[in-house]
Amino acid sequence: MSDIPLVEEALARVATGDPSAAQALLEAGLSAPAPNTANALYDLGRLALALEQPVVALGFLDRALECDSQLSPAHVDRGRTLHRLGRGREAIQAMCRAVAIDPDAHAALNRLRWLLDEGRLRTTSALSRLAQRGLPVASVLDVGASDGQWSLAARRIWPDARYHLVEAFDHWRAPLEATCSAQPGFSHVIAAAGNSDGEVWFYNDPDAPYGGAAFQDQPDGKEQPQKSWKVPQVALATEAERVGLKPPFLIKLDTHGFEVPILEGAEALLSQTNLVVIEVYVFHVHPQALLFHEICAWMAEKGFRPIDLSEPLWRPRDEALWQFDLFFVPADRQEFACNAY
């Protein structure tokens, strides 16, 4: 089955929100006679893991290692798979095995460090560190809210805050309605956030509901009506006034490259904002996207500096750092008065 260029292309398409190629390859591998080479089984395991099918992935990776127990990358992905399945100790053991085989296995070393220090890299840990240093939040604008899990996690840190969840993809309407009905102080709107009220193009593959991004113009090459359509757009400053949110604000953006227009629509709120959490990228995931260092420069012009990070993600094709969440606070915060370690 193994065809490295084909597999890498399929994995790249998963990363950009188009899982169809990887799914087709995986289904072909599942329906055909089982391959008997370690590399072919490893490729099937990688595909299954990228498609969020960890049980299937583990089966292929175990069989790959039966064929070649010295295949270090398979131990790495086996560790990632075990972690997804909640088997943390076994995940660490798998990464250790990869490093024992290849002491220069950077992917394994990076993952091992992350697994051993995972608690500090969680979003709730970063939020807790900020709250412990006396950062108040009265209202949260959660943009790219999906089913509301981020706000539910933040509520453990700021239980008395108001939470307004903004989500463009109608796929999440029912879960958001259920979450907001069950949680006092929660509200939501099905709309994209942008620089003004109106409409905007939105692209999303229905088979990949955690992806999706807004575009000022209809996305080139993505004109399929089932994947690209217009949605309502709201400016965060207007939306905050409409639902009666009070400062100080926390703004969270999981918006896949559309951050600048959203922050432009929140301009009137920024002077009263204590924390901005932005999912930032090392690669261009959107034609208009700023890379993470460009986001830092843009936020510096608005008077914010990064203070923490969480949830780093490495892309499966080459284990390069893909994205992470950066936490920005006003540049006059007391933490920046001290430059000593």
Side-chain angles (χ1 to χ4, degrees):
M1 174 267 174
S2 183
D3 183 329
I4 296 299
L6 191 61
V7 170
E8 297 302 337
E9 173 62 23
L11 290 169
R13 288 175 62 180
V14 172
T16 58
D18 179 9
S20 56
Q23 186 63 48
L25 279 178
L26 181 61
E27 289 174 358
L30 289 167
S31 61
N36 58 3
T37 66
N39 285 335
L41 290 162
Y42 170 53
D43 284 341
L44 288 169
R46 295 167 67 203
L47 290 168
L49 183 58
L51 291 166
E52 302 294 339
Q53 299 178 34
V55 174
V56 175
L58 185 60
F60 282 123
L61 293 168
D62 283 345
R63 288 162 61 193
L65 291 168
E66 288 174 5
C67 295
D68 181 0
S69 63
Q70 300 300 299
L71 188 60
S72 178
H75 285 287
V76 174
D77 280 327
R78 185 172 183 272
R80 294 174 59 218
T81 302
L82 289 165
H83 174 70
R84 300 273 180 92
L85 293 170
R87 295 160 62 178
R89 184 181 296 274
E90 292 173 86
I92 292 171
Q93 291 172 342
M95 294 299 179
C96 290
R97 178 60 176 154
V99 174
I101 295 168
D102 179 8
D104 294 324
H106 297 296
L109 288 166
N110 286 334
R111 285 283 172 175
L112 188 55
R113 292 188 190 103
W114 188 83
L115 287 168
L116 291 172
D117 196 28
E118 179 186 11
R120 294 183 64 80
L121 291 172
R122 293 282 191 182
T123 291
T124 49
S125 295
L127 294 175
S128 294
R129 287 190 288 271
L130 287 159
Q132 288 166 8
R133 294 198 297 271
L135 186 143
V137 169
S139 299
V140 176
L141 283 155
D142 179 354
V143 185
S146 62
D147 60 357
Q149 291 301 310
W150 196 94
S151 284
L152 290 172
R155 187 169 199 173
R156 297 200 295 269
I157 312 301
W158 290 286
D160 299 324
R162 274 274 284 113
Y163 290 81
H164 188 57
L165 286 62
V166 182
E167 173 56 53
F169 194 16
D170 194 73
H171 169 92
W172 296 112
R173 181 185 297 272
L176 280 176
E177 289 176 349
T179 296
C180 293
S181 296
Q183 300 294 329
F186 272 52
S187 57
H188 78 283
V189 62
I190 299 297
N195 54 11
S196 63
D197 289 353
E199 287 187 325
V200 69
W201 284 97
F202 186 74
Y203 172 83
N204 205 110
D205 187 334
D207 294 327
Y210 287 99
F215 290 79
Q216 300 285 13
D217 301 307
Q218 187 170 14
D220 292 338
K222 297 178 178 177
E223 295 86 356
Q224 305 97 318
Q226 74 275 21
K227 293 187 179 182
S228 180
W229 60 93
K230 281 191 173 182
V231 299
Q233 178 176 275
V234 296
L236 291 184
T238 305
E239 192 68 6
E241 183 177 2
R242 182 182 72 82
V243 297
L245 300 183
K246 304 297 183 184
F249 298 103
L250 185 168
I251 299 173
K252 168 260 184 181
L253 305 182
D254 181 357
T255 51
H256 304 154
F258 202 65
E259 292 77 31
V260 169
I262 296 171
L263 291 167
E264 289 173 344
E267 184 82 26
L269 304 179
L270 292 181
S271 64
Q272 300 174 295
T273 296
N274 278 349
L275 177 60
V276 183
V277 182
I278 305 177
E279 184 180 82
V280 296
Y281 307 92
V282 180
F283 296 89
H284 287 288
V285 299
H286 187 293
Q288 300 166 348
L290 299 182
L291 300 180
F292 81 93
H293 63 283
E294 296 168 327
I295 285 283
C296 289
W298 196 95
M299 291 295 290
E301 292 181 358
K302 302 299 179 183
F304 289 82
R305 288 178 59 176
I307 192 68
D308 215 326
L309 63 84
S310 71
E311 311 296 337
L313 178 65
W314 294 262
R315 67 181 183 184
R317 63 183 296 157
D318 56 9
E319 291 298 326
L321 179 63
W322 178 255
Q323 68 185 48
F324 53 99
D325 290 350
L326 261 183
F327 293 66
F328 294 88
V329 295
D332 60 1
R333 284 279 303 176
Q334 61 184 359
E335 292 92 335
F336 301 121
C338 176
N339 289 310
Y341 182 76

